[in-house]
Amino acid sequence: MGGMRINGDAESLGASDQVIGGLYSAGEAAGGIHGNNRLGGNSLLDCVVFGRVSARSAARYLSAANIRYVESMKAGTAVASKL
């Protein structure tokens, strides 16, 4: 089973359970609710549910980043690259 720790929004957690910004995990990459004792059929439900949760969270993260970028462009304080 996976080794990534995630929170309820499927955000990956690093050392000391700190959120790693912009990194999301789902499916076999995440440990899931069953831990090491997972039944084979349950993995599909975990993939679908947490896949959807991680996609929604990633879209929210990117939308917020784009809004901040557009606002900084309007203010004239944007950097040359978004990265």
Side-chain angles (χ1 to χ4, degrees):
M1 301 328 123
M4 295 292 294
R5 290 188 315 259
I6 60 173
N7 63 14
D9 290 327
E11 295 172 305
S12 297
L13 303 175
S16 303
D17 289 335
Q18 296 294 319
V19 172
I20 302 171
L23 183 62
Y24 300 89
S25 300
E28 291 292 328
I33 62 173
H34 305 289
N36 289 332
N37 189 19
R38 174 184 62 81
L39 300 173
N42 290 347
S43 67
L44 293 177
L45 181 61
D46 282 348
C47 291
V48 170
V49 170
F50 281 103
R52 185 168 186 232
V53 169
S54 65
R56 185 183 64 220
S57 296
R60 190 179 310 126
Y61 176 84
L62 291 173
S63 295
N66 283 335
I67 289 169
R68 284 191 301 274
Y69 179 74
V70 169
E71 288 175 352
S72 66
M73 286 290 289
K74 289 179 182 177
T77 59
V79 294
S81 172
K82 285 192 203 181
L83 301 176

